[in-house]
Amino acid sequence: MLFNLEKSAAKTIRKLLKPFEVSVLYYSYKIPGLPFSHIQRYSYVNVYMKWKKDSYYESIEHIHHSIQLKPVIALKNCITQDPNGCIPISAVSKRGLQLDVPMKVARFMRQYPSIYEEFTGPEYNHPWFRLTSEAAEIDRDEKRVYEESREELRSRLRKMILMTKENVLPLKIIQGMQWYLGLPNDFLQHPEQNLDESFRFVEMEDGLKGLAIESGEKVYSIMEKNAMKRATDVIEFPFFPSKALRMKSKIENWLHEFQKLPYISPYEDFSNLDPNSDIAEKRLIGALHELLSLFIDHSAERRKLFCLKKYFGFPQKVHRAFERHPHMFYMSFRNKTCTVILKEAYCNESAIEKHPLLSVRKKYIKLMKESEVILRNRRMENRFSSCSEKLTLESN
């Protein structure tokens, strides 16, 4: 009997508290140093939207072939850096981990006969490799783009560093992000021609060497530039909901209020923001939007972005930002990894400027796909030749 009374009392309490479960409480606080004095802060709304696969983003070739393309270009650079324009397999066979090659280097290079041409070396009959004429032509085009776009590549690196808390990044972090920014591998090895006076090398904590920026110039984000083109002061995030993605009414209401919050540029000081507030979340979303807009294909592996948390001031659970805003970011799980894609770059091409190196990478991917045809034809030829030999033996 006592148990039944306790059970009924618990039900009554739950009914009384139910109206307050999804309520939104308002209160204001001041943030000094920002262009606004009072901001409405909202209590956390548990936004969860089930992930939906979108065939459009899953079929973008230059994003999903990027994992194979990176070691292909790394090996190509090893060949072009040699004075003779060719290398023995022994020169790279033990550098597979360094070059991100997922298998034995010789086997990997033989998978792309449209890029690497194999021949027998002058000594010990070792296999040697050189570039095919088509790959050599794309390599010359790539070097020309690097030469013509040096200032733009420098600007993208500068913006990335200016988004950090102290305007400085460790060199090892920059080297890890060079592939996404489109910087050549030896970019930091030639500072006199690739960097200007606003960059300087510094010593960081833990004995790390870093690259810092000294610039008082005002930097505008891509969101701010687009607002200037529209001649408006209102900056709202563009929404591109995926097919069959339905939002609950409370989530729609939260997004509506979220859009009303002031936009904070990722290049502004954010140390005075309450990390648990909606305004801090909006600043985080703006920073991720700006960061992905700097990359070649406006996407990146999620685990690579996690490495930036300490220096960009991202929260520990930054991955929830992608889950709470699927109308801005798409997560693809191809290639046994999670790749975050900025939707705006593929739904509104005029909103974000294309990277100058994107067309070159597309050429490499097209050439990589030709290797499949070459290997298929080789298998067919071997099959026919083996059959003809067998018929000859039987006839004899």
Side-chain angles (χ1 to χ4, degrees), residues 105 200 218:
V105 178
R200 63 184 179 92
K218 172 71 174 176

Side-chain angles (χ1 to χ4, degrees), residues 40-57:
Q40 293 295 322
R41 181 175 182 260
Y42 307 90
S43 63
Y44 184 84
V45 176
N46 186 20
V47 176
Y48 174 76
M49 284 172 269
K50 189 177 179 180
W51 178 81
K52 296 287 186 180
K53 187 174 182 179
D54 194 317
S55 59
Y56 173 68
Y57 299 103

Side-chain angles (χ1 to χ4, degrees), residues 38-254:
H38 292 271
I39 294 179
Q40 293 295 322
R41 181 175 182 260
Y42 307 90
S43 63
Y44 184 84
V45 176
N46 186 20
V47 176
Y48 174 76
M49 284 172 269
K50 189 177 179 180
W51 178 81
K52 296 287 186 180
K53 187 174 182 179
D54 194 317
S55 59
Y56 173 68
Y57 299 103
E58 294 288 341
S59 61
I60 302 175
E61 285 190 342
H62 60 270
I63 290 180
H64 302 295
H65 282 78
S66 180
I67 291 181
Q68 294 85 16
L69 179 60
K70 187 177 181 181
V72 165
I73 292 183
L75 289 166
K76 182 267 302 179
N77 291 336
C78 293
I79 296 174
T80 57
Q81 289 167 5
D82 189 271
N84 299 319
C86 56
I87 57 172
I89 189 60
S90 57
V92 291
S93 59
K94 296 182 180 180
R95 297 174 59 192
L97 186 63
Q98 176 190 350
L99 301 173
D100 291 326
V101 180
M103 59 186 73
K104 286 188 176 182
V105 178
R107 180 187 169 195
F108 181 81
M109 298 182 77
R110 286 168 181 150
Q111 284 186 347
Y112 300 101
S114 60
I115 296 177
Y116 311 113
E117 181 182 345
E118 183 178 355
F119 63 99
T120 304
E123 296 180 359
Y124 310 113
N125 291 330
H126 283 177
W128 283 57
F129 290 91
R130 60 189 168 214
L131 295 183
T132 62
S133 58
E134 295 84 1
E137 179 65 28
I138 301 176
D139 175 68
R140 287 190 290 270
D141 190 21
E142 181 182 15
K143 290 177 179 176
R144 178 185 56 79
V145 172
Y146 279 140
E147 211 46 51
E148 295 175 353
S149 307
R150 181 174 288 136
E151 179 57 38
E152 182 173 346
L153 297 177
R154 186 187 300 133
S155 174
R156 290 175 184 262
L157 175 60
R158 182 186 292 109
K159 287 181 178 180
M160 182 176 173
I161 297 176
L162 287 175
M163 291 172 63
T164 61
K165 292 188 292 185
E166 300 176 357
N167 293 348
V168 61
L169 262 181
L171 295 182
K172 67 175 186 178
I173 295 293
I174 296 175
Q175 290 168 351
M177 304 304 292
Q178 282 184 154
W179 173 255
Y180 297 111
L181 289 170
L183 305 179
N185 290 336
D186 58 351
F187 187 83
L188 296 176
Q189 298 174 13
H190 304 284
E192 64 283 347
Q193 66 181 23
N194 293 325
L195 304 177
D196 57 25
E197 61 278 0
S198 64
F199 294 87
R200 63 184 179 92
F201 292 96
V202 297
E203 293 290 335
M204 301 180 65
E205 58 183 9
D206 301 330
L208 296 175
K209 291 185 177 181
L211 188 63
I213 292 290
E214 291 181 349
S215 175
E217 182 183 355
K218 172 71 174 176
V219 180
Y220 294 97
S221 68
I222 191 69
M223 294 288 296
E224 291 173 314
K225 290 180 179 178
N226 289 338
M228 291 177 186
K229 292 178 183 177
R230 298 192 302 268
T232 178
D233 295 331
V234 180
I235 301 179
E236 294 184 347
F237 291 126
F239 286 176
F240 302 96
S242 297
K243 297 177 181 178
L245 182 63
R246 295 181 180 180
M247 293 186 290
K248 296 180 180 179
S249 58
K250 81 168 184 179
I251 298 177
E252 288 184 350
N253 295 335
W254 174 79

Side-chain angles (χ1 to χ4, degrees), residues 320-348:
R320 288 188 177 178
F322 307 120
E323 298 169 2
R324 286 165 62 85
H325 299 272
H327 44 270
M328 288 185 63
F329 307 106
Y330 179 77
M331 292 189 295
S332 172
F333 295 93
R334 286 183 59 177
N335 300 315
K336 298 179 181 179
T337 186
C338 178
T339 303
V340 180
I341 303 173
L342 182 62
K343 286 187 170 184
E344 185 180 17
Y346 297 94
C347 297
N348 184 6

